[in-house]
Amino acid sequence: MTVAGLDKRPADAGGRGDEAVRAEAGRRRTFAVISHPDAGKSTLTEALALHASAINQAGAVHGKAGRRGVTSDWMAMERDRGISITSAALRFEYAGGVLNLLDTPGHADFSEDTYRVLEAVDCAIMLLDSAKGLEPQTLKLFDVCRSRHVPVITFVNKWDRPGREPLELLDEIEQRIGLRPAPVNWPVGVAGDFRGLIERATGGYTAFTRTPGGAERAIETHLDAAAAAAREGVAYETAAEELALLAEVGAEVDMPSFLAGASSPVLFGAALPNFGVRRLLGALTELAPPPAPRLDAAGEPREVDAPFSGLVFKVQANMDPAHRDRVAFVRVCSGRFERGMVLTHAATGRPFATKYAQAMFGQDRETVDVAYPGDVIGLVNASALRPGDTLYADVPVAFPPIPSFAPEHFAVVRCRDSAKHKQFRRGIDQLDTEGVVQVLSSDARGDQAPVLAAVGPLQFDVVLHRLEHEFGARSELDHLDYAMARVTDPDGAGVLAGQRGTEVLTRRLDGALLALFTDKWRLAAIQRDHPAIRLTPLLAGAE
Ligand code: G4P
């Protein structure tokens, strides 16, 4: 693997594998942006696309109000609530490489979706608002990156607005999350009076001039240190002093510790006027790792030039209201994908035809004929595929399942119109398979009114909305007084039967037995009274 730029290595000496696939994989950088809502993720996404020449005007990707029309009732719901649920995968070419940006939902209630997306990336950009620093959702998402060993590049955004001191922000990163910040560049001018950026490695200076509305690429003027000092005066001197302090503590970009998740290259900028965004693209191509061999369920690596394999990380229905179809997003992990090839679905052993493979670009789609490791393909009408599933060609492989989060909100869902029960069941099954919500049931509760389990309550709103609008089954919820879940076994279920403040239900998707508890005291009391009971925590979401 190369660390200083795009991989252009020749094939290995033994001549094994496919040189072309390795070269294409080496050109790719697949990443996501993690941030707290409002830190500027959508704005940054557009600015990145703008600088990579994928779009001509900011505003084309997310269809924000007044920019571009909203194309589905699904998106209408997002617009009404000001949240983003639909994960788009964007792809753009930059400096001879291919950047795949996987969008993550902004709201904490959809952390589980975000987690799945982070299973499919090789790097993440941690986006901070310069006035706010590390916010709760950023911290949570950062923890996911750390647990997944995803290296993180930090982008301090909104430097055109009043904010905090740069050294103070670095200190916060180091103190609160134990990540050693290593600035790639340094701002000249305090937050709110952003003049330009000094490149630490070279001392070169880029001054910015805003274009009206920030819709076009900002004008960048490159100066050497002496010219920059003359132009910016005191602001430059202050920045130079801060840089001298940094040099003393040795906060250099260090590839091994970045890749190991111990340090993070930091860049400053402002996504709205798109200052410093081109440098961020450069940092991605120089620093972010290309696709690496992925470990299968047995812990064996699937080399990038092995026959095709892919991981389903998201299933999204109803993206195109005209077709009411269902798209499975697949991250290519190894080999060359060619549209039309017949793959095997590892979970069922069944063949899977790929005639309708598509690339997604915001709300637009186009057919994709060929894809390489790191790319994302959308497989249409993939009703058998679930998040976490593996598809492969020739040599079988199954990647480890994506763990589900600990639900904290529980509700019984009922169809309001008994004549629509069939539609209701179909809808519940589909939402369960897509991973929109976890569906639990028990013999005692019966089939008519399953229990829904969610990480955040907005997931319930999505379920009700989709049951009504997509399946024609208006439904209602009856919230349950549980707040915690643990995985148990039949013995545990026997112990818990009839106890107050607890109930055991079966998760439909995988048959796991989930014990629900009203609160942690009830859980603690049961553990105290029955020390041998098996109560395993699920992956912490909001817990
Ligand atoms: P999100 O996806 O992370 O939720 O954030 P989004 O991009 O929607 O940005 C949140 C708000 O912050 C938006 O303002 C956006 O214009 C603003 N913003 C993002 N980056 C910058 C920046 O670098 N500088 C400044 N000054 N503002 C920035 P809004 O008024 O809430 O929305 P809008 O009406 O502008 O879309």
PDB file of all heavy atoms in Angstrom, residues 35-44 64 67 106 127 157-161 210 269-274, ligand 1:
ATOM      1  N   SER A  35     -20.627  13.680  11.445  1.00  0.00           N
ATOM      2  CA  SER A  35     -20.756  14.986  12.090  1.00  0.00           C
ATOM      3  C   SER A  35     -22.038  15.059  12.879  1.00  0.00           C
ATOM      4  O   SER A  35     -22.928  14.229  12.729  1.00  0.00           O
ATOM      5  CB  SER A  35     -20.759  16.094  11.037  1.00  0.00           C
ATOM      6  OG  SER A  35     -21.906  15.980  10.222  1.00  0.00           O
ATOM      7  N   HIS A  36     -22.116  16.063  13.701  1.00  0.00           N
ATOM      8  CA  HIS A  36     -23.353  16.385  14.406  1.00  0.00           C
ATOM      9  C   HIS A  36     -24.258  17.116  13.409  1.00  0.00           C
ATOM     10  O   HIS A  36     -23.739  17.829  12.547  1.00  0.00           O
ATOM     11  CB  HIS A  36     -23.011  17.297  15.582  1.00  0.00           C
ATOM     12  CG  HIS A  36     -24.116  17.424  16.577  1.00  0.00           C
ATOM     13  ND1 HIS A  36     -24.323  16.480  17.553  1.00  0.00           N
ATOM     14  CD2 HIS A  36     -25.067  18.361  16.735  1.00  0.00           C
ATOM     15  CE1 HIS A  36     -25.366  16.843  18.271  1.00  0.00           C
ATOM     16  NE2 HIS A  36     -25.834  17.983  17.802  1.00  0.00           N
ATOM     17  N   PRO A  37     -25.596  16.962  13.509  1.00  0.00           N
ATOM     18  CA  PRO A  37     -26.457  17.708  12.587  1.00  0.00           C
ATOM     19  C   PRO A  37     -26.114  19.196  12.600  1.00  0.00           C
ATOM     20  O   PRO A  37     -25.804  19.746  13.665  1.00  0.00           O
ATOM     21  CB  PRO A  37     -27.865  17.473  13.150  1.00  0.00           C
ATOM     22  CG  PRO A  37     -27.765  16.186  13.894  1.00  0.00           C
ATOM     23  CD  PRO A  37     -26.356  16.101  14.418  1.00  0.00           C
ATOM     24  N   ASP A  38     -26.125  19.796  11.422  1.00  0.00           N
ATOM     25  CA  ASP A  38     -25.878  21.237  11.272  1.00  0.00           C
ATOM     26  C   ASP A  38     -24.407  21.636  11.233  1.00  0.00           C
ATOM     27  O   ASP A  38     -24.100  22.814  11.110  1.00  0.00           O
ATOM     28  CB  ASP A  38     -26.566  22.059  12.376  1.00  0.00           C
ATOM     29  CG  ASP A  38     -27.918  22.544  11.899  1.00  0.00           C
ATOM     30  OD1 ASP A  38     -28.193  22.382  10.694  1.00  0.00           O
ATOM     31  OD2 ASP A  38     -28.694  23.060  12.721  1.00  0.00           O
ATOM     32  N   ALA A  39     -23.512  20.667  11.370  1.00  0.00           N
ATOM     33  CA  ALA A  39     -22.079  21.021  11.291  1.00  0.00           C
ATOM     34  C   ALA A  39     -21.690  21.375   9.862  1.00  0.00           C
ATOM     35  O   ALA A  39     -20.660  22.011   9.632  1.00  0.00           O
ATOM     36  CB  ALA A  39     -21.217  19.884  11.817  1.00  0.00           C
ATOM     37  N   GLY A  40     -22.531  20.942   8.889  1.00  0.00           N
ATOM     38  CA  GLY A  40     -22.270  21.330   7.499  1.00  0.00           C
ATOM     39  C   GLY A  40     -21.985  20.159   6.573  1.00  0.00           C
ATOM     40  O   GLY A  40     -21.337  20.326   5.533  1.00  0.00           O
ATOM     41  N   LYS A  41     -22.494  18.995   6.909  1.00  0.00           N
ATOM     42  CA  LYS A  41     -22.192  17.802   6.103  1.00  0.00           C
ATOM     43  C   LYS A  41     -22.718  17.926   4.677  1.00  0.00           C
ATOM     44  O   LYS A  41     -21.994  17.654   3.718  1.00  0.00           O
ATOM     45  CB  LYS A  41     -22.783  16.563   6.786  1.00  0.00           C
ATOM     46  CG  LYS A  41     -22.430  15.269   6.098  1.00  0.00           C
ATOM     47  CD  LYS A  41     -22.532  14.108   7.051  1.00  0.00           C
ATOM     48  CE  LYS A  41     -23.937  13.936   7.577  1.00  0.00           C
ATOM     49  NZ  LYS A  41     -24.852  13.392   6.582  1.00  0.00           N
ATOM     50  N   SER A  42     -23.971  18.351   4.537  1.00  0.00           N
ATOM     51  CA  SER A  42     -24.522  18.478   3.180  1.00  0.00           C
ATOM     52  C   SER A  42     -23.764  19.534   2.401  1.00  0.00           C
ATOM     53  O   SER A  42     -23.456  19.365   1.218  1.00  0.00           O
ATOM     54  CB  SER A  42     -25.998  18.885   3.215  1.00  0.00           C
ATOM     55  OG  SER A  42     -26.667  18.172   4.190  1.00  0.00           O
ATOM     56  N   THR A  43     -23.458  20.645   3.074  1.00  0.00           N
ATOM     57  CA  THR A  43     -22.744  21.733   2.404  1.00  0.00           C
ATOM     58  C   THR A  43     -21.355  21.262   1.970  1.00  0.00           C
ATOM     59  O   THR A  43     -20.908  21.539   0.854  1.00  0.00           O
ATOM     60  CB  THR A  43     -22.609  22.937   3.359  1.00  0.00           C
ATOM     61  OG1 THR A  43     -23.891  23.191   3.938  1.00  0.00           O
ATOM     62  CG2 THR A  43     -22.130  24.169   2.644  1.00  0.00           C
ATOM     63  N   LEU A  44     -20.696  20.524   2.838  1.00  0.00           N
ATOM     64  CA  LEU A  44     -19.359  20.029   2.496  1.00  0.00           C
ATOM     65  C   LEU A  44     -19.430  19.030   1.338  1.00  0.00           C
ATOM     66  O   LEU A  44     -18.596  19.058   0.436  1.00  0.00           O
ATOM     67  CB  LEU A  44     -18.699  19.367   3.714  1.00  0.00           C
ATOM     68  CG  LEU A  44     -17.300  18.803   3.440  1.00  0.00           C
ATOM     69  CD1 LEU A  44     -16.311  19.928   3.152  1.00  0.00           C
ATOM     70  CD2 LEU A  44     -16.794  17.956   4.593  1.00  0.00           C
ATOM     71  N   LYS A  64     -31.749  20.741  -1.836  1.00  0.00           N
ATOM     72  CA  LYS A  64     -32.287  21.538  -0.727  1.00  0.00           C
ATOM     73  C   LYS A  64     -33.352  22.496  -1.226  1.00  0.00           C
ATOM     74  O   LYS A  64     -33.395  22.835  -2.402  1.00  0.00           O
ATOM     75  CB  LYS A  64     -31.162  22.326  -0.073  1.00  0.00           C
ATOM     76  CG  LYS A  64     -30.324  21.447   0.823  1.00  0.00           C
ATOM     77  CD  LYS A  64     -29.574  22.310   1.779  1.00  0.00           C
ATOM     78  CE  LYS A  64     -29.299  21.518   3.052  1.00  0.00           C
ATOM     79  NZ  LYS A  64     -28.778  22.355   4.092  1.00  0.00           N
ATOM     80  N   ARG A  67     -33.549  24.873  -4.400  1.00  0.00           N
ATOM     81  CA  ARG A  67     -32.468  24.606  -5.336  1.00  0.00           C
ATOM     82  C   ARG A  67     -32.944  23.626  -6.397  1.00  0.00           C
ATOM     83  O   ARG A  67     -32.926  23.884  -7.564  1.00  0.00           O
ATOM     84  CB  ARG A  67     -31.266  24.028  -4.609  1.00  0.00           C
ATOM     85  CG  ARG A  67     -30.557  25.059  -3.740  1.00  0.00           C
ATOM     86  CD  ARG A  67     -29.537  24.359  -2.906  1.00  0.00           C
ATOM     87  NE  ARG A  67     -28.798  25.300  -2.070  1.00  0.00           N
ATOM     88  CZ  ARG A  67     -27.977  24.909  -1.128  1.00  0.00           C
ATOM     89  NH1 ARG A  67     -27.786  23.646  -0.892  1.00  0.00           N
ATOM     90  NH2 ARG A  67     -27.343  25.792  -0.413  1.00  0.00           N
ATOM     91  N   GLY A 106     -28.015  12.172   9.170  1.00  0.00           N
ATOM     92  CA  GLY A 106     -27.530  13.150  10.136  1.00  0.00           C
ATOM     93  C   GLY A 106     -28.093  12.972  11.536  1.00  0.00           C
ATOM     94  O   GLY A 106     -27.504  13.429  12.497  1.00  0.00           O
ATOM     95  N   LEU A 127     -16.255  15.954  10.788  1.00  0.00           N
ATOM     96  CA  LEU A 127     -16.522  17.358  10.493  1.00  0.00           C
ATOM     97  C   LEU A 127     -16.937  18.075  11.772  1.00  0.00           C
ATOM     98  O   LEU A 127     -17.912  17.674  12.425  1.00  0.00           O
ATOM     99  CB  LEU A 127     -17.658  17.412   9.459  1.00  0.00           C
ATOM    100  CG  LEU A 127     -18.119  18.772   8.999  1.00  0.00           C
ATOM    101  CD1 LEU A 127     -17.030  19.453   8.184  1.00  0.00           C
ATOM    102  CD2 LEU A 127     -19.374  18.618   8.145  1.00  0.00           C
ATOM    103  N   ASN A 157     -14.820  23.114  10.275  1.00  0.00           N
ATOM    104  CA  ASN A 157     -15.630  23.859   9.307  1.00  0.00           C
ATOM    105  C   ASN A 157     -16.098  25.214   9.861  1.00  0.00           C
ATOM    106  O   ASN A 157     -15.951  25.496  11.038  1.00  0.00           O
ATOM    107  CB  ASN A 157     -16.844  22.988   8.944  1.00  0.00           C
ATOM    108  CG  ASN A 157     -17.629  23.547   7.783  1.00  0.00           C
ATOM    109  OD1 ASN A 157     -17.082  24.216   6.910  1.00  0.00           O
ATOM    110  ND2 ASN A 157     -18.932  23.290   7.764  1.00  0.00           N
ATOM    111  N   LYS A 158     -16.643  26.024   8.981  1.00  0.00           N
ATOM    112  CA  LYS A 158     -17.267  27.324   9.302  1.00  0.00           C
ATOM    113  C   LYS A 158     -16.258  28.331   9.845  1.00  0.00           C
ATOM    114  O   LYS A 158     -16.565  29.107  10.743  1.00  0.00           O
ATOM    115  CB  LYS A 158     -18.425  27.146  10.299  1.00  0.00           C
ATOM    116  CG  LYS A 158     -19.494  26.150   9.827  1.00  0.00           C
ATOM    117  CD  LYS A 158     -20.775  26.290  10.612  1.00  0.00           C
ATOM    118  CE  LYS A 158     -21.763  25.196  10.245  1.00  0.00           C
ATOM    119  NZ  LYS A 158     -23.024  25.274  10.960  1.00  0.00           N
ATOM    120  N   TRP A 159     -15.025  28.275   9.333  1.00  0.00           N
ATOM    121  CA  TRP A 159     -14.014  29.212   9.827  1.00  0.00           C
ATOM    122  C   TRP A 159     -14.327  30.642   9.392  1.00  0.00           C
ATOM    123  O   TRP A 159     -13.727  31.602   9.856  1.00  0.00           O
ATOM    124  CB  TRP A 159     -12.619  28.779   9.339  1.00  0.00           C
ATOM    125  CG  TRP A 159     -11.570  29.240  10.284  1.00  0.00           C
ATOM    126  CD1 TRP A 159     -10.743  30.295  10.120  1.00  0.00           C
ATOM    127  CD2 TRP A 159     -11.293  28.704  11.575  1.00  0.00           C
ATOM    128  NE1 TRP A 159      -9.948  30.462  11.230  1.00  0.00           N
ATOM    129  CE2 TRP A 159     -10.278  29.493  12.139  1.00  0.00           C
ATOM    130  CE3 TRP A 159     -11.813  27.648  12.318  1.00  0.00           C
ATOM    131  CZ2 TRP A 159      -9.767  29.249  13.416  1.00  0.00           C
ATOM    132  CZ3 TRP A 159     -11.294  27.395  13.575  1.00  0.00           C
ATOM    133  CH2 TRP A 159     -10.284  28.196  14.112  1.00  0.00           C
ATOM    134  N   ASP A 160     -15.286  30.785   8.483  1.00  0.00           N
ATOM    135  CA  ASP A 160     -15.700  32.137   8.085  1.00  0.00           C
ATOM    136  C   ASP A 160     -16.639  32.757   9.106  1.00  0.00           C
ATOM    137  O   ASP A 160     -17.075  33.896   8.933  1.00  0.00           O
ATOM    138  CB  ASP A 160     -16.397  32.083   6.711  1.00  0.00           C
ATOM    139  CG  ASP A 160     -17.651  31.231   6.750  1.00  0.00           C
ATOM    140  OD1 ASP A 160     -17.627  30.174   7.432  1.00  0.00           O
ATOM    141  OD2 ASP A 160     -18.651  31.601   6.124  1.00  0.00           O
ATOM    142  N   ARG A 161     -16.984  32.000  10.139  1.00  0.00           N
ATOM    143  CA  ARG A 161     -17.871  32.535  11.167  1.00  0.00           C
ATOM    144  C   ARG A 161     -17.134  32.594  12.490  1.00  0.00           C
ATOM    145  O   ARG A 161     -16.205  31.820  12.717  1.00  0.00           O
ATOM    146  CB  ARG A 161     -19.076  31.602  11.346  1.00  0.00           C
ATOM    147  CG  ARG A 161     -20.015  31.624  10.193  1.00  0.00           C
ATOM    148  CD  ARG A 161     -21.453  31.478  10.623  1.00  0.00           C
ATOM    149  NE  ARG A 161     -21.688  30.300  11.443  1.00  0.00           N
ATOM    150  CZ  ARG A 161     -22.801  29.596  11.363  1.00  0.00           C
ATOM    151  NH1 ARG A 161     -23.747  29.942  10.513  1.00  0.00           N
ATOM    152  NH2 ARG A 161     -22.993  28.575  12.161  1.00  0.00           N
ATOM    153  N   ARG A 210     -14.029  34.992  -1.730  1.00  0.00           N
ATOM    154  CA  ARG A 210     -15.354  34.386  -1.831  1.00  0.00           C
ATOM    155  C   ARG A 210     -15.995  34.702  -3.177  1.00  0.00           C
ATOM    156  O   ARG A 210     -15.873  35.821  -3.665  1.00  0.00           O
ATOM    157  CB  ARG A 210     -16.189  35.023  -0.723  1.00  0.00           C
ATOM    158  CG  ARG A 210     -17.452  34.357  -0.356  1.00  0.00           C
ATOM    159  CD  ARG A 210     -18.156  35.246   0.639  1.00  0.00           C
ATOM    160  NE  ARG A 210     -17.753  35.009   2.010  1.00  0.00           N
ATOM    161  CZ  ARG A 210     -18.454  34.217   2.834  1.00  0.00           C
ATOM    162  NH1 ARG A 210     -19.541  33.615   2.421  1.00  0.00           N
ATOM    163  NH2 ARG A 210     -18.073  34.048   4.068  1.00  0.00           N
ATOM    164  N   GLY A 269     -11.197  25.017   7.308  1.00  0.00           N
ATOM    165  CA  GLY A 269     -11.847  25.549   6.120  1.00  0.00           C
ATOM    166  C   GLY A 269     -13.260  26.021   6.389  1.00  0.00           C
ATOM    167  O   GLY A 269     -13.699  26.130   7.537  1.00  0.00           O
ATOM    168  N   ALA A 270     -13.954  26.302   5.314  1.00  0.00           N
ATOM    169  CA  ALA A 270     -15.347  26.737   5.387  1.00  0.00           C
ATOM    170  C   ALA A 270     -16.060  26.164   4.163  1.00  0.00           C
ATOM    171  O   ALA A 270     -15.728  26.513   3.028  1.00  0.00           O
ATOM    172  CB  ALA A 270     -15.432  28.259   5.404  1.00  0.00           C
ATOM    173  N   ALA A 271     -16.982  25.251   4.431  1.00  0.00           N
ATOM    174  CA  ALA A 271     -17.617  24.538   3.316  1.00  0.00           C
ATOM    175  C   ALA A 271     -18.521  25.453   2.496  1.00  0.00           C
ATOM    176  O   ALA A 271     -18.609  25.314   1.274  1.00  0.00           O
ATOM    177  CB  ALA A 271     -18.421  23.355   3.852  1.00  0.00           C
ATOM    178  N   LEU A 272     -19.188  26.404   3.177  1.00  0.00           N
ATOM    179  CA  LEU A 272     -20.179  27.217   2.455  1.00  0.00           C
ATOM    180  C   LEU A 272     -19.529  28.082   1.371  1.00  0.00           C
ATOM    181  O   LEU A 272     -19.936  28.023   0.209  1.00  0.00           O
ATOM    182  CB  LEU A 272     -21.000  28.050   3.443  1.00  0.00           C
ATOM    183  CG  LEU A 272     -22.187  28.784   2.841  1.00  0.00           C
ATOM    184  CD1 LEU A 272     -23.200  27.808   2.255  1.00  0.00           C
ATOM    185  CD2 LEU A 272     -22.871  29.653   3.897  1.00  0.00           C
ATOM    186  N   PRO A 273     -18.488  28.869   1.716  1.00  0.00           N
ATOM    187  CA  PRO A 273     -17.787  29.584   0.627  1.00  0.00           C
ATOM    188  C   PRO A 273     -16.732  28.691  -0.035  1.00  0.00           C
ATOM    189  O   PRO A 273     -15.916  29.177  -0.809  1.00  0.00           O
ATOM    190  CB  PRO A 273     -17.145  30.763   1.359  1.00  0.00           C
ATOM    191  CG  PRO A 273     -16.943  30.320   2.754  1.00  0.00           C
ATOM    192  CD  PRO A 273     -17.992  29.280   3.045  1.00  0.00           C
ATOM    193  N   ASN A 274     -16.722  27.434   0.301  1.00  0.00           N
ATOM    194  CA  ASN A 274     -15.805  26.380  -0.158  1.00  0.00           C
ATOM    195  C   ASN A 274     -14.318  26.743  -0.065  1.00  0.00           C
ATOM    196  O   ASN A 274     -13.538  26.437  -0.941  1.00  0.00           O
ATOM    197  CB  ASN A 274     -16.238  25.799  -1.513  1.00  0.00           C
ATOM    198  CG  ASN A 274     -16.150  26.747  -2.710  1.00  0.00           C
ATOM    199  OD1 ASN A 274     -15.070  26.980  -3.248  1.00  0.00           O
ATOM    200  ND2 ASN A 274     -17.277  27.290  -3.122  1.00  0.00           N
TER     201      ASN A 274
HETATM  202  P1  G4P B   1     -25.757  19.206   7.999  1.00  0.00           P
HETATM  203  O1  G4P B   1     -25.910  18.555   6.657  1.00  0.00           O
HETATM  204  O2  G4P B   1     -24.522  18.775   8.722  1.00  0.00           O
HETATM  205  O3  G4P B   1     -26.957  19.132   8.878  1.00  0.00           O
HETATM  206  O4  G4P B   1     -25.514  20.758   7.774  1.00  0.00           O
HETATM  207  P2  G4P B   1     -25.802  21.682   6.508  1.00  0.00           P
HETATM  208  O5  G4P B   1     -24.837  21.423   5.432  1.00  0.00           O
HETATM  209  O6  G4P B   1     -27.249  21.631   6.188  1.00  0.00           O
HETATM  210  O7  G4P B   1     -25.412  23.065   7.144  1.00  0.00           O
HETATM  211  C1  G4P B   1     -26.061  23.578   8.293  1.00  0.00           C
HETATM  212  C2  G4P B   1     -26.056  25.098   8.232  1.00  0.00           C
HETATM  213  O8  G4P B   1     -24.708  25.551   8.326  1.00  0.00           O
HETATM  214  C3  G4P B   1     -26.595  25.638   6.919  1.00  0.00           C
HETATM  215  O9  G4P B   1     -27.228  26.877   7.175  1.00  0.00           O
HETATM  216  C4  G4P B   1     -25.340  25.893   6.126  1.00  0.00           C
HETATM  217  O10 G4P B   1     -25.501  26.887   5.137  1.00  0.00           O
HETATM  218  C5  G4P B   1     -24.402  26.353   7.207  1.00  0.00           C
HETATM  219  N1  G4P B   1     -22.986  26.138   6.865  1.00  0.00           N
HETATM  220  C6  G4P B   1     -22.378  24.980   6.482  1.00  0.00           C
HETATM  221  N2  G4P B   1     -21.070  25.182   6.273  1.00  0.00           N
HETATM  222  C7  G4P B   1     -20.833  26.490   6.527  1.00  0.00           C
HETATM  223  C8  G4P B   1     -19.668  27.310   6.466  1.00  0.00           C
HETATM  224  O11 G4P B   1     -18.566  26.875   6.150  1.00  0.00           O
HETATM  225  N3  G4P B   1     -19.831  28.622   6.797  1.00  0.00           N
HETATM  226  C9  G4P B   1     -21.030  29.129   7.162  1.00  0.00           C
HETATM  227  N4  G4P B   1     -21.085  30.427   7.472  1.00  0.00           N
HETATM  228  N5  G4P B   1     -22.146  28.405   7.214  1.00  0.00           N
HETATM  229  C10 G4P B   1     -22.049  27.092   6.903  1.00  0.00           C
HETATM  230  P3  G4P B   1     -28.784  27.040   7.284  1.00  0.00           P
HETATM  231  O12 G4P B   1     -29.058  28.482   7.338  1.00  0.00           O
HETATM  232  O13 G4P B   1     -29.278  26.197   8.415  1.00  0.00           O
HETATM  233  O14 G4P B   1     -29.344  26.339   5.991  1.00  0.00           O
HETATM  234  P4  G4P B   1     -29.396  26.864   4.496  1.00  0.00           P
HETATM  235  O15 G4P B   1     -30.662  27.608   4.420  1.00  0.00           O
HETATM  236  O16 G4P B   1     -28.176  27.688   4.270  1.00  0.00           O
HETATM  237  O17 G4P B   1     -29.398  25.614   3.678  1.00  0.00           O
END
